[in-house]
Amino acid sequence: MLQSQPLANVSLPVTSSDLTEGTVSTAQLVFTPVNWNAPQTVIVTGKDDLVADGDQPYRVILSAATSADASYNAKDPPDVSVTNLDNDTAGILVSPTSGLVTTEGGGTAQFSVVLLSQPTANVSIPIASNDTTEGRASQNVILFTPANWNAPQTIIVTGQDDAIADGDQPYKVVLAAAASTDASYAGLDAADVSLTNLDNDSAGVLVDPTTGLVTTEAGGTASFTVVLLSQPTKNVTIPVSSSDTTEGTVSTALLTFTPVNWN
């Protein structure tokens, strides 16, 4: 409202200093010699963005008045300070983070990654398996931009085959700290993903054949082969002997298999 009755209409332009944070209900207030002492209300409405930028100050600007009344023309009232409370939080959502299974037969699992708020700059997240002998991720970095931040990106993890009977092996896909010039996301560390790679190997010794062999008292020989069914992590020695050396002898008293010659 005005503090005194004007001789002519008084117009006051009204604007927001930051339309991304708040807007005003009218662009102009007009006071007349009749309504000059009736308060006029300006409604300021906060605007929603998707950026985790914290509570943001801005102003409602009341510009200099225009009027044929020289006492009011060019009179500039004070601006109004406003704060728009933020409702966004920087974060990285990984789903799921556990319970995933791959297989040594090449079976795959997958998870998705998405940002929880719009960054002001690109956000890159390095990705790596902590045991590439058990599983490998489909890519080594995820890149989010201010345009694609809310589109989940899928990572496929493929189980790796070894020849060792080591049982089902747990491992992780590690998401390292994010890199970005957006301070809200720089250094933000997402959850890692826990997986299990199912083993397809069994420890065993294959002897072939085990029956039907014939030797002769004239020195005739017979032979059989021995091989391991999975790769050992250490040397494996197998003693060999005849149950009756008066009937037959063997060519070696010991078979040794190593992690190299096991198969």
Side-chain angles (χ1 to χ4, degrees):
M1 60 182 288
L2 304 185
Q3 292 182 334
S4 63
Q5 185 178 31
L7 301 176
N9 288 356
V10 178
S11 297
L12 291 172
V14 183
T15 57
S16 169
S17 66
D18 188 343
L19 292 174
T20 67
E21 296 296 340
T23 59
V24 292
S25 57
T26 183
Q28 184 173 254
L29 299 175
V30 178
F31 293 95
T32 72
V34 174
N35 75 355
W36 65 274
N37 60 345
Q40 296 190 38
T41 300
V42 177
I43 299 173
V44 186
T45 303
K47 303 300 289 183
D48 189 22
D49 59 32
L50 300 170
V51 181
D53 52 0
D55 299 341
Q56 289 295 307
Y58 65 105
R59 291 174 299 122
V60 174
I61 300 172
L62 300 171
S63 299
T66 58
S67 177
D69 183 335
S71 297
Y72 275 101
N73 188 52
K75 188 173 287 293
D76 195 356
D79 299 333
V80 178
S81 296
V82 187
T83 299
N84 193 34
L85 303 183
D86 194 19
N87 63 355
D88 301 291
T89 302
I92 304 170
L93 177 63
V94 182
S95 179
T97 57
S98 62
L100 296 181
V101 174
T102 58
T103 70
E104 288 194 350
T108 63
Q110 63 184 41
F111 62 91
S112 66
V113 184
V114 68
L115 302 188
L116 296 181
S117 65
Q118 185 177 30
T120 57
N122 289 354
V123 177
S124 62
I125 305 171
I127 299 177
S129 169
N130 70 346
D131 189 346
T132 55
T133 67
E134 296 297 341
R136 294 178 180 269
S138 55
Q139 57 197 78
N140 57 18
V141 67
I142 302 176
L143 179 65
F144 290 100
T145 70
N148 76 354
W149 65 274
N150 59 346
Q153 297 192 38
T154 299
I155 306 300
I156 298 173
V157 187
T158 303
Q160 300 297 298
D161 191 19
D162 58 32
I164 303 172
D166 53 359
D168 299 341
Q169 290 294 308
Y171 66 104
K172 289 185 178 182
V173 172
V174 178
L175 284 74
S180 179
T181 56
D182 182 336
S184 297
Y185 276 98
L188 199 60
D189 199 354
D192 299 332
V193 178
S194 298
L195 303 98
T196 300
N197 194 36
L198 302 184
D199 194 19
N200 64 356
D201 302 292
S202 298
V205 181
L206 177 64
V207 181
D208 185 47
T210 58
T211 61
L213 296 182
V214 175
T215 57
T216 69
E217 290 190 350
T221 63
S223 63
F224 62 91
T225 61
V226 182
V227 69
L228 303 188
L229 295 181
S230 64
Q231 185 179 27
T233 57
K234 303 288 184 181
N235 287 358
V236 177
T237 57
I238 303 173
V240 183
S241 62
S242 170
S243 64
D244 188 345
T245 56
T246 66
E247 295 296 336
T249 58
V250 292
S251 59
T252 182
L254 194 69
L255 298 174
T256 300
F257 292 96
T258 72
V260 175
N261 75 356
W262 64 276
N263 60 347

